[in-house]
Short mmCIF file of all heavy atoms in Angstrom, two decimals:
data_model
loop_
_atom_site.label_atom_id
_atom_site.label_comp_id
_atom_site.label_asym_id
_atom_site.label_seq_id
_atom_site.Cartn_x
_atom_site.Cartn_y
_atom_site.Cartn_z
N ASP K 7 9.11 12.14 -25.57
CA ASP K 7 9.61 13.32 -26.26
C ASP K 7 8.44 14.27 -26.40
O ASP K 7 7.54 14.05 -27.20
CB ASP K 7 10.17 12.93 -27.64
CG ASP K 7 10.81 14.13 -28.31
OD1 ASP K 7 11.10 15.12 -27.61
OD2 ASP K 7 11.00 14.07 -29.53
N GLU K 8 8.45 15.30 -25.58
CA GLU K 8 7.31 16.21 -25.54
C GLU K 8 7.35 17.15 -26.73
O GLU K 8 8.35 17.82 -26.97
CB GLU K 8 7.35 17.04 -24.26
CG GLU K 8 7.36 16.23 -23.00
CD GLU K 8 6.01 15.66 -22.67
OE1 GLU K 8 5.03 16.05 -23.34
OE2 GLU K 8 5.92 14.85 -21.75
N VAL K 9 6.26 17.20 -27.45
CA VAL K 9 6.16 18.19 -28.52
C VAL K 9 4.97 19.11 -28.24
O VAL K 9 4.40 19.68 -29.15
CB VAL K 9 6.02 17.53 -29.89
CG1 VAL K 9 7.27 16.76 -30.24
CG2 VAL K 9 4.83 16.62 -29.94
N VAL K 185 -5.02 -6.35 -29.43
CA VAL K 185 -3.85 -7.22 -29.55
C VAL K 185 -2.73 -6.42 -30.18
O VAL K 185 -2.91 -5.86 -31.27
CB VAL K 185 -4.17 -8.46 -30.41
CG1 VAL K 185 -2.93 -9.29 -30.62
CG2 VAL K 185 -5.24 -9.30 -29.75
N VAL K 189 -7.04 -3.00 -32.49
CA VAL K 189 -8.33 -3.56 -32.10
C VAL K 189 -8.67 -4.70 -33.04
O VAL K 189 -8.49 -4.60 -34.26
CB VAL K 189 -9.42 -2.48 -32.18
CG1 VAL K 189 -10.79 -3.10 -32.01
CG2 VAL K 189 -9.20 -1.44 -31.13
N ARG K 191 -11.35 -5.99 -34.81
CA ARG K 191 -12.70 -5.45 -35.08
C ARG K 191 -13.75 -6.53 -35.07
O ARG K 191 -14.90 -6.27 -34.76
CB ARG K 191 -12.68 -4.76 -36.44
CG ARG K 191 -11.88 -3.48 -36.37
CD ARG K 191 -12.02 -2.67 -37.63
NE ARG K 191 -11.04 -1.60 -37.61
CZ ARG K 191 -10.39 -1.17 -38.68
NH1 ARG K 191 -10.63 -1.70 -39.84
NH2 ARG K 191 -9.53 -0.19 -38.57
N LYS K 192 -13.37 -7.75 -35.42
CA LYS K 192 -14.38 -8.81 -35.47
C LYS K 192 -14.83 -9.21 -34.07
O LYS K 192 -15.89 -9.79 -33.91
CB LYS K 192 -13.83 -10.02 -36.22
CG LYS K 192 -13.82 -9.78 -37.71
CD LYS K 192 -13.06 -10.85 -38.45
CE LYS K 192 -12.96 -10.46 -39.92
NZ LYS K 192 -11.86 -11.15 -40.61
N ASP K 345 -9.66 -15.78 -31.50
CA ASP K 345 -8.93 -17.03 -31.68
C ASP K 345 -8.81 -17.76 -30.34
O ASP K 345 -8.65 -17.13 -29.29
CB ASP K 345 -7.55 -16.69 -32.23
CG ASP K 345 -6.88 -17.90 -32.83
OD1 ASP K 345 -6.29 -18.66 -32.06
OD2 ASP K 345 -6.99 -18.06 -34.04
N GLU K 347 -6.53 -19.33 -29.09
CA GLU K 347 -5.25 -19.12 -28.41
C GLU K 347 -5.25 -17.80 -27.64
O GLU K 347 -4.57 -17.65 -26.64
CB GLU K 347 -4.15 -19.09 -29.45
CG GLU K 347 -2.90 -19.75 -29.01
CD GLU K 347 -1.95 -19.88 -30.19
OE1 GLU K 347 -2.37 -19.65 -31.33
OE2 GLU K 347 -0.81 -20.18 -29.95
N ARG K 349 -7.85 -16.34 -26.20
CA ARG K 349 -8.85 -16.17 -25.14
C ARG K 349 -8.22 -16.10 -23.76
O ARG K 349 -8.54 -15.23 -22.96
CB ARG K 349 -9.85 -17.33 -25.18
CG ARG K 349 -10.86 -17.11 -26.27
CD ARG K 349 -11.80 -18.28 -26.40
NE ARG K 349 -12.26 -18.35 -27.77
CZ ARG K 349 -12.64 -19.46 -28.37
NH1 ARG K 349 -12.62 -20.59 -27.71
NH2 ARG K 349 -13.04 -19.44 -29.61
N HIS K 412 5.93 10.18 -33.05
CA HIS K 412 5.81 11.43 -33.82
C HIS K 412 5.89 11.24 -35.33
O HIS K 412 5.57 12.15 -36.07
CB HIS K 412 6.88 12.42 -33.35
CG HIS K 412 6.70 12.79 -31.91
ND1 HIS K 412 5.46 13.01 -31.37
CD2 HIS K 412 7.58 12.94 -30.90
CE1 HIS K 412 5.59 13.29 -30.09
NE2 HIS K 412 6.87 13.24 -29.78
N GLN K 413 6.29 10.07 -35.76
CA GLN K 413 6.29 9.87 -37.21
C GLN K 413 4.90 9.51 -37.72
O GLN K 413 4.68 9.41 -38.91
CB GLN K 413 7.29 8.79 -37.59
CG GLN K 413 6.88 7.40 -37.16
CD GLN K 413 7.95 6.40 -37.49
OE1 GLN K 413 9.03 6.42 -36.93
NE2 GLN K 413 7.66 5.51 -38.41
N TRP K 415 2.01 11.19 -36.90
CA TRP K 415 1.10 12.34 -37.04
C TRP K 415 0.74 12.55 -38.52
O TRP K 415 1.59 12.41 -39.39
CB TRP K 415 1.76 13.63 -36.53
CG TRP K 415 1.99 13.71 -35.06
CD1 TRP K 415 3.20 13.60 -34.45
CD2 TRP K 415 1.04 13.95 -34.04
NE1 TRP K 415 3.06 13.75 -33.10
CE2 TRP K 415 1.73 13.96 -32.82
CE3 TRP K 415 -0.34 14.14 -34.03
CZ2 TRP K 415 1.10 14.16 -31.60
CZ3 TRP K 415 -0.97 14.35 -32.82
CH2 TRP K 415 -0.25 14.35 -31.63
N SER K 417 0.32 15.30 -40.94
CA SER K 417 0.65 16.73 -40.94
C SER K 417 -0.32 17.47 -41.86
O SER K 417 -1.03 16.87 -42.67
CB SER K 417 2.08 16.94 -41.41
OG SER K 417 2.17 16.60 -42.77
N GLU K 419 0.43 19.32 -44.22
CA GLU K 419 0.91 19.17 -45.60
C GLU K 419 0.34 17.89 -46.22
O GLU K 419 -0.18 17.89 -47.34
CB GLU K 419 2.44 19.11 -45.55
CG GLU K 419 3.11 19.07 -46.90
CD GLU K 419 4.60 18.82 -46.75
OE1 GLU K 419 5.17 19.24 -45.72
OE2 GLU K 419 5.17 18.20 -47.64
N GLU K 420 0.40 16.81 -45.46
CA GLU K 420 -0.13 15.53 -45.96
C GLU K 420 -1.63 15.62 -46.20
O GLU K 420 -2.17 15.06 -47.14
CB GLU K 420 0.18 14.42 -44.96
CG GLU K 420 1.62 13.95 -45.01
CD GLU K 420 1.95 13.00 -43.88
OE1 GLU K 420 1.54 13.26 -42.72
OE2 GLU K 420 2.62 12.00 -44.14
N LYS K 434 -4.72 3.26 -38.33
CA LYS K 434 -5.27 1.94 -38.63
C LYS K 434 -6.09 1.45 -37.46
O LYS K 434 -5.73 1.62 -36.34
CB LYS K 434 -4.12 0.98 -38.91
CG LYS K 434 -3.41 1.28 -40.20
CD LYS K 434 -2.14 0.43 -40.28
CE LYS K 434 -1.26 0.93 -41.40
NZ LYS K 434 0.10 0.36 -41.29
N ARG C 88 9.54 10.45 -41.39
CA ARG C 88 8.42 11.05 -42.10
C ARG C 88 8.84 11.45 -43.51
O ARG C 88 9.98 11.86 -43.74
CB ARG C 88 7.93 12.30 -41.37
CG ARG C 88 7.56 12.08 -39.93
CD ARG C 88 6.94 13.34 -39.39
NE ARG C 88 5.73 13.66 -40.14
CZ ARG C 88 4.53 13.23 -39.79
NH1 ARG C 88 4.38 12.54 -38.71
NH2 ARG C 88 3.49 13.55 -40.52
N ASP C 90 7.07 13.83 -45.17
CA ASP C 90 6.72 15.24 -45.39
C ASP C 90 7.69 16.15 -44.64
O ASP C 90 8.69 15.69 -44.07
CB ASP C 90 5.28 15.50 -44.95
CG ASP C 90 5.13 15.22 -43.47
OD1 ASP C 90 6.05 14.59 -42.92
OD2 ASP C 90 4.12 15.62 -42.89
N SER C 91 7.38 17.41 -44.63
CA SER C 91 8.31 18.36 -44.03
C SER C 91 7.80 18.87 -42.67
O SER C 91 8.09 19.98 -42.28
CB SER C 91 8.51 19.54 -44.97
OG SER C 91 7.26 20.18 -45.16
N LYS C 95 8.12 20.82 -32.49
CA LYS C 95 9.09 21.50 -31.63
C LYS C 95 9.21 20.75 -30.31
O LYS C 95 8.20 20.32 -29.74
CB LYS C 95 8.62 22.93 -31.35
CG LYS C 95 8.80 23.84 -32.53
CD LYS C 95 8.35 25.23 -32.19
CE LYS C 95 8.51 26.15 -33.36
NZ LYS C 95 7.76 27.40 -33.15
N HIS C 96 10.42 20.60 -29.86
CA HIS C 96 10.62 20.05 -28.53
C HIS C 96 11.78 20.76 -27.85
O HIS C 96 12.53 21.49 -28.49
CB HIS C 96 10.84 18.52 -28.58
CG HIS C 96 12.06 18.10 -29.31
ND1 HIS C 96 12.46 16.81 -29.39
CD2 HIS C 96 12.97 18.80 -30.02
CE1 HIS C 96 13.57 16.72 -30.09
NE2 HIS C 96 13.89 17.91 -30.49
N TYR C 108 17.50 12.59 -35.19
CA TYR C 108 16.45 12.44 -34.18
C TYR C 108 16.67 11.14 -33.40
O TYR C 108 16.81 10.07 -34.00
CB TYR C 108 15.09 12.42 -34.87
CG TYR C 108 13.93 12.42 -33.92
CD1 TYR C 108 13.84 13.39 -32.94
CD2 TYR C 108 12.94 11.45 -34.01
CE1 TYR C 108 12.76 13.40 -32.07
CE2 TYR C 108 11.87 11.46 -33.14
CZ TYR C 108 11.79 12.44 -32.17
OH TYR C 108 10.74 12.45 -31.30
N ASN C 114 12.74 3.14 -35.75
CA ASN C 114 11.87 2.98 -36.91
C ASN C 114 12.49 1.96 -37.85
O ASN C 114 13.14 2.31 -38.82
CB ASN C 114 11.68 4.34 -37.59
CG ASN C 114 10.73 4.24 -38.75
OD1 ASN C 114 9.91 3.33 -38.79
ND2 ASN C 114 10.88 5.15 -39.69
N ASP C 150 1.30 -4.10 -44.09
CA ASP C 150 0.67 -3.01 -43.32
C ASP C 150 0.71 -3.27 -41.82
O ASP C 150 0.90 -2.35 -41.03
CB ASP C 150 -0.80 -2.86 -43.75
CG ASP C 150 -0.93 -2.02 -44.98
OD1 ASP C 150 0.11 -1.50 -45.42
OD2 ASP C 150 -2.05 -1.88 -45.50
N ARG C 154 1.66 -9.07 -37.88
CA ARG C 154 0.93 -9.41 -36.64
C ARG C 154 -0.29 -10.20 -37.10
O ARG C 154 -1.29 -9.63 -37.53
CB ARG C 154 0.50 -8.15 -35.90
CG ARG C 154 1.64 -7.35 -35.35
CD ARG C 154 1.06 -6.15 -34.61
NE ARG C 154 2.10 -5.38 -33.95
CZ ARG C 154 2.67 -4.31 -34.50
NH1 ARG C 154 2.30 -3.90 -35.69
NH2 ARG C 154 3.61 -3.65 -33.84
N TYR C 156 -2.75 -12.00 -35.91
CA TYR C 156 -4.13 -11.87 -35.43
C TYR C 156 -4.79 -10.65 -36.07
O TYR C 156 -5.96 -10.68 -36.45
CB TYR C 156 -4.15 -11.72 -33.91
CG TYR C 156 -3.67 -12.95 -33.19
CD1 TYR C 156 -2.57 -12.91 -32.35
CD2 TYR C 156 -4.32 -14.16 -33.36
CE1 TYR C 156 -2.12 -14.04 -31.71
CE2 TYR C 156 -3.89 -15.29 -32.72
CZ TYR C 156 -2.79 -15.23 -31.90
OH TYR C 156 -2.35 -16.35 -31.26
N ILE C 157 -4.00 -9.58 -36.19
CA ILE C 157 -4.54 -8.35 -36.79
C ILE C 157 -4.77 -8.58 -38.28
O ILE C 157 -5.80 -8.19 -38.84
CB ILE C 157 -3.58 -7.17 -36.58
CG1 ILE C 157 -2.99 -7.18 -35.18
CG2 ILE C 157 -4.25 -5.87 -36.90
CD1 ILE C 157 -3.95 -6.90 -34.10
N HIS C 159 -5.43 -11.27 -39.81
CA HIS C 159 -6.63 -12.07 -39.99
C HIS C 159 -7.88 -11.26 -39.72
O HIS C 159 -8.90 -11.41 -40.40
CB HIS C 159 -6.58 -13.28 -39.06
CG HIS C 159 -7.78 -14.15 -39.14
ND1 HIS C 159 -8.55 -14.47 -38.06
CD2 HIS C 159 -8.38 -14.75 -40.22
CE1 HIS C 159 -9.55 -15.23 -38.44
NE2 HIS C 159 -9.47 -15.41 -39.74
N ASP C 160 -7.78 -10.37 -38.72
CA ASP C 160 -8.94 -9.56 -38.37
C ASP C 160 -9.30 -8.58 -39.49
O ASP C 160 -10.47 -8.36 -39.79
CB ASP C 160 -8.64 -8.79 -37.08
CG ASP C 160 -9.86 -8.04 -36.58
OD1 ASP C 160 -10.85 -8.72 -36.25
OD2 ASP C 160 -9.81 -6.80 -36.53
N ARG C 161 -8.28 -7.99 -40.10
CA ARG C 161 -8.54 -6.96 -41.10
C ARG C 161 -8.64 -7.52 -42.51
O ARG C 161 -8.86 -6.77 -43.46
CB ARG C 161 -7.42 -5.91 -41.06
CG ARG C 161 -7.18 -5.29 -39.71
CD ARG C 161 -8.33 -4.39 -39.31
NE ARG C 161 -8.36 -4.21 -37.87
CZ ARG C 161 -7.75 -3.23 -37.23
NH1 ARG C 161 -7.06 -2.35 -37.89
NH2 ARG C 161 -7.85 -3.13 -35.91
N ARG C 216 -3.30 -28.31 -33.14
CA ARG C 216 -2.98 -27.66 -31.87
C ARG C 216 -4.16 -26.79 -31.42
O ARG C 216 -4.58 -26.83 -30.27
CB ARG C 216 -1.73 -26.79 -32.06
CG ARG C 216 -1.08 -26.36 -30.77
CD ARG C 216 0.22 -25.65 -31.07
NE ARG C 216 -0.02 -24.41 -31.79
CZ ARG C 216 -0.27 -23.25 -31.21
NH1 ARG C 216 -0.33 -23.18 -29.90
NH2 ARG C 216 -0.46 -22.17 -31.92
N LYS C 217 -4.69 -26.03 -32.35
CA LYS C 217 -5.84 -25.18 -32.03
C LYS C 217 -7.02 -26.03 -31.55
O LYS C 217 -7.74 -25.66 -30.63
CB LYS C 217 -6.25 -24.37 -33.26
CG LYS C 217 -5.29 -23.26 -33.61
CD LYS C 217 -5.67 -21.98 -32.89
CE LYS C 217 -4.55 -20.97 -32.94
NZ LYS C 217 -4.40 -20.39 -34.29
N GLU C 224 -10.43 -26.15 -23.55
CA GLU C 224 -11.28 -25.10 -23.00
C GLU C 224 -12.69 -25.58 -22.76
O GLU C 224 -13.39 -25.10 -21.89
CB GLU C 224 -11.30 -23.93 -23.98
CG GLU C 224 -10.70 -22.69 -23.42
CD GLU C 224 -10.60 -21.64 -24.49
OE1 GLU C 224 -11.59 -21.43 -25.20
OE2 GLU C 224 -9.53 -21.04 -24.61
#
Side-chain angles (χ1 to χ4, degrees):
Chain K
D7 185 17
E8 303 284 351
V9 295
V185 175
V189 170
R191 289 189 191 143
K192 284 170 186 159
D345 197 277
E347 218 170 349
R349 281 176 208 152
H412 298 320
Q413 70 184 66
W415 291 107
S417 68
E419 185 188 329
E420 283 172 317
K434 290 171 193 166
Chain C
R88 305 187 61 91
D90 62 346
S91 62
K95 285 181 181 166
H96 63 176
Y108 186 53
N114 183 24
D150 276 355
R154 293 182 175 95
Y156 294 120
I157 319 292
H159 178 236
D160 186 63
R161 305 290 159 91
R216 195 174 65 87
K217 288 271 166 73
E224 244 173 48

